[in-house]
Each structure stands twice: as C-alpha cells, then as structure tokens.
Amino acid sequence: MTASATWNRTIEIIANPSQDELRALALEHTPAMRETDYGALNKVASYNKNRVAGYTYVIAPPGNEKKYSAKTIAPEKAAELIAHQQRYIEQAGRLIRVDGYLGVGPRAVGAQWFYTIEGANIAGMQSVLAFSRETVEGPGAADKPFEAPLTIVYTPGCDAPGMPGGQAILVDLEKFHTYILGPDYFGESKKSALRMLNDLQYRRGGLVMHAGAKVIDLGGKKLTMAIMGLSGTGKTTTTFAKHGEGTHPLQDDMITLWPNGELSITENGCFAKTIGLTPETEPEIYRGSTQRSAWLENVYQDAQGKVDFSKGVITPEEAAAHREILISSRVNAENLDAYIAGKVSAEEVVDAHGIPKDGWDFVVWTQNGRSIFPLSAIPNAADLHDVPPVASIGILNRDEGPDAATPGIVRFTSAEQASGYFMLGETSKTSAAGKERGKTRSPFTQPFFPLAAGLQASRFDEIVRTIPSVSMWMMNTGYIGGDDLDVKKGSALKVKIRHSSAMLEALLRDRVKWTIDKDFGYEVVDVDAPENKALVEAVPAEVLQPRRFFEKAGRMDEYKAWVDRMHKERREYLEKHDVDPEIVKATCLW
C-alpha cells in the first residue's frame, strides 16, 4: 500500500505529468523559477543549498541509535510530524505523483514520489533521473497497478514544527517510506530514494556506492570502471573523461556493486555540479546542461536569462536585480539591503579564500549550482542494458591544505587495504557556500547508507574478494602542499585534469612500474624507473610522490608529522566504527 491510501479522496493526484506539463507547473508554482537563455528551467536560488544531514532522522524506538548512521526519532514524534504533513497536503489539495524505477533489468527497484505543487521543479528533476515503468516493465505498463517498494512524500512548503531549522526528513526503514518536510533542494528527493535503496540492496547482498561508472574500450575488450568520490572530488568529471579507444559514461553518481563484479545502475540521467563548467573542460556535461531538457538549481542568471556557471562575488547592482529571489531564499534582508546601498563592501565580508562571513552568504553565489539532464543527452553514453563486469575500482581524494600529501595515484595491494580506504573516505570538505574547509572522513556509500557505518567496510571487502582480478586504486584530485592561493604563490602544486587523465590512462593500460610507499604500504609510481618516463613527463614527480615535494621545499617535519597523524587518526576512526581488525591492520601500518 502506498502513502496515498491515507489521504483524503478529494486530493487531486497529477499522475506522471510530462516534462512540458512539469515545466508549466514549475513556472507557475515554484518560487524563484526562471527560464534560461537556452530554454532550460532554473530555480535560481533555493533556501537550502545542499543536503542537510542534521535534518535527517531514522524512525526507531529509543535504544536503537547505534544501529544507524543517521540520527533517530521516536515513532510517536515522527507520527505527529507525518500527521502534520498530511494535513498540509489535504489543505493544498493537489499532489504530483511520479512513478518510476531506480535502475533497469532484474535489479530495478520501483519507487513512487509525491510532491506538493510548489515542488513541481523537484518532480521534474526526479522524473528525468527515474526510469519509466515502460522502460523496465515494457509497453502498456502504465495501465497496470503499480506496487512500488519505495515511497517518498515531499512537501517543500510544509514546515516541521519544533524541529531544528523547521525541517525534517523522516525515514521509515520498515515500510520503506520517507517523509520530507521543509527543504526545497532537489538532492533530498534523490537521496531519500537512494538511502532506502541502500538498505534494501544491502539486505540482498549488494552495496550501493557513491560512485560514477563508465564502460571503457581497451584493446578490443570492454571493462567497467567504478569511481568513488564524495561531493566536489571530481567524480563526474573523471567519469566523463576519455580513456582507452572509447569511453562511455554509465552513471555519474550512484551504483550498486554485487559479488563477482556485477554492477547495477540507479539513474537515467546526470546530477552534475556546474561551478566552473565550460565546453572546453567538460564538454559532455556542458552540452547536457545547456539543452532545453535540463533542469538547473542555484545557477546564476542575469536579467536576460544568460547563465554564468562561474559566478563568484556579486555586485551590489546584481544583488539589487536579484533582491526578490534572494529574499525568497531566506537571506538576511537587512544585510542584503546594506550591501545593495553600498554601506558594506564585498571586501569587508568575504575573505581571501572567497568565503563569506555568516549572514553574508548571498554576496558569493553558491558553489553548489547543479544541473540535471537525461543520459540521452550524452551521445556516447553506455548501453545501460549491457554492462561488462567491474574490472577497476577507484577512490577520489581531493586533498587540500598545507599537509596535502596524498600521491597523485596509488594502487592498493590487498582487498583489506582497499576496504580500509573505502571506509575512510578521506577528502577536503566542500559545501554549498564554500564555507567549510579542512579534511573530512565519510565512507563511500555516504551520505546514503542508513545502517551502522562499520558494516560498509565488511561488505565492500566481502564483495571485492569475489573479483580477484579487479584493480583498486586511489587518485588525488586536489593539491600537494597547499591550496589554490599557494599554487598562485608558487608554494604548492595543483593536480590538474590532464594529470588525472594521464595517470588513469597509464593505469588502465598497465604501463606503470610500481613501488611500495614505505610510509603507508600501498603502491605508488616509481618515478625513477625508465618504464615510467612518459608518465613522469606528463605528471610532475612531486605529484606522483609528494614526499619529494616536501623534501625539496625543506618541509619534511610537516610531512613526517602528517604521516604519524594519519596513522593515528585513521586507526581511531576505523576502530570507532568497529571495522574488522584485519582491515585496520592493512590500512594503518602503526
């Protein structure tokens, strides 16, 4: 039984509207919606700029907190909030319903999404990512009853009284229902279905991972590469980069890994970050994001509707032109008007890293602009019905800061070692406003795995052991010895996209002579080996072996302190999550 069975019969259900119908509904009912100069629709400014984990609660009786990676909420309190949401729906009188599937083929899982009318843009975005019933079930599917295992009810205009931020995402893992009260950011819709899918597929023996995937033609043989990465690590960029004789993007964000290298997909489109997007750096993503079929979120537009994917600080005049939209996104009106009037300058409220002070986020346009477009917009997309076994699994770590010392590329020596780094999920923080900096750790199923985090490493280890020939690696997509400001000063190195491409090309073609890194026990490129001459010409030796960078810079004390700290912190993190001791031992040498 779906959630709709509990609602008043007078509610109008707009079932599976077309994209044109959803566009019309969004333009009429969704705040801050505008058409771009190429015809796509853009919610110029949402009040949530990203997913907010702190607003997410698994419904569970007290005493069960350790079973879940998210916070929990008592069933009685959850029932009050769900009843509040249902009253809001009955007053609204209309719901958009999207029926579809996560994935295709025998592993596909059905879902129903319900949205109140102000969330028409979110419904439009979700219907792009979901596979239609006809695609999975065949012709005439829409005429048959649909009993979907997963149900999501999303009401952006309905607050969650008494809850932090007035918002709540309530997750019922017994019924596989999720109720979303308050947020207006699409990622909560996407995440809610994938979170429940993660639990369901874990029960079935798989592991849903925060990873892109692509099919690569290599020497007449096709293989699938999975690329794990948290937000901002370059996962989508790496997924769409060309390698081998042909590269065919398969998924840009979420996949399910099964024993023996089987991979099942989840989405029929791409959900890409647009900051800095250009036709030169990411042609496929740019092409998909600039078609009428795309939906945008938090992307800057001028008065003529022209988008600017690289917008940073806005001028007082631009703030004035966007005042109504910015007010609708709940910015501080007093601060906004002071900036427009010239009483406060950007230099006073934005630091050298482009990070605004609290209350002044609007001065720097969000770095979390997003686009959603169908996979059909990618000319060389892979055949979603014919996926070769996984032969390569990688981790992206966007290292940044004075102690950034992750090698350009690493090859793991064992399943246990790879499982440890999978669980660590190390990278530099990225956020909607670009305000969070420093390092973070989060397993590469996150933020989508609702159960106790330590289960993920064991499942990953269990699965990769069934794929004995799989190549497992990690790549730094950030910096060595600093950040962007340090690169400009000449005191740090940037790992560039061309470096990443050269490293992955050499890895895939088995043209790397490796050597053991004495500090961490994984393999790194032997920069002195003649066999690696071409790779070292393409990628600086200091990127391939950061220890050399710190030696040349006279900063070995920093490097040694980093090595000791990494071992200590990694061991503490893994043991805190009850990770198998053999995995801890393979990851932390001391």
Side-chain angles (χ1 to χ4, degrees), residues 174-311:
E174 296 301 318
K175 296 179 180 178
F176 286 121
H177 286 193
T178 295
Y179 309 87
I180 308 173
L181 292 77
D184 66 337
Y185 176 69
F186 168 73
E188 296 292 5
S189 176
K190 168 187 166 76
K191 179 181 175 182
S192 291
L194 290 167
R195 184 192 296 111
M196 294 188 291
L197 179 76
N198 213 318
D199 187 8
L200 180 63
Q201 303 296 52
Y202 184 85
R203 299 182 191 189
R204 295 173 173 176
L207 187 64
V208 178
M209 302 194 305
H210 200 171
K214 57 185 175 183
V215 176
I216 300 171
D217 297 331
L218 200 65
K221 180 182 178 181
K222 288 188 177 182
L223 61 89
T224 298
M225 172 186 281
I227 304 126
M228 295 181 277
L230 302 180
S231 180
T233 58
K235 172 167 48 63
T236 301
T237 301
T238 306
T239 299
F240 282 83
K242 291 179 170 56
H243 301 103
E245 287 76 45
T247 299
H248 310 282
L250 180 67
Q251 293 282 276
D252 84 309
D253 201 42
M254 298 295 296
I255 60 173
T256 306
L257 186 64
W258 301 91
N260 303 310
E262 180 189 352
L263 181 148
S264 59
I265 62 174
T266 60
E267 297 176 325
N268 196 25
C270 298
F271 181 46
K273 291 188 77 168
T274 58
I275 184 68
L277 186 60
T278 69
E280 291 76 28
T281 57
E282 298 175 279
E284 290 88 355
I285 300 171
Y286 183 87
R287 186 184 305 113
S289 300
T290 52
Q291 295 191 16
R292 186 180 183 274
S293 56
W295 292 82
L296 306 182
E297 191 174 48
N298 291 309
V299 174
Y300 182 86
Q301 286 181 254
D302 65 16
Q304 289 71 45
K306 183 176 178 58
V307 301
D308 184 347
F309 291 128
S310 299
K311 193 66 175 177

Side-chain angles (χ1 to χ4, degrees), residues 101-109 131 135-137 262 264-265 384-385:
Y101 280 87
L102 300 173
V104 293
R107 300 285 193 185
V109 175
F131 289 92
T135 299
V136 176
E137 300 175 37
E262 180 189 352
S264 59
I265 62 174
L384 304 183
H385 299 273

Side-chain angles (χ1 to χ4, degrees), residues 62-79:
N64 287 270
E65 292 82 1
K66 289 187 177 180
K67 292 182 179 180
Y68 305 103
S69 59
K71 295 190 292 186
T72 59
I73 187 170
E76 298 77 16
K77 178 60 178 177

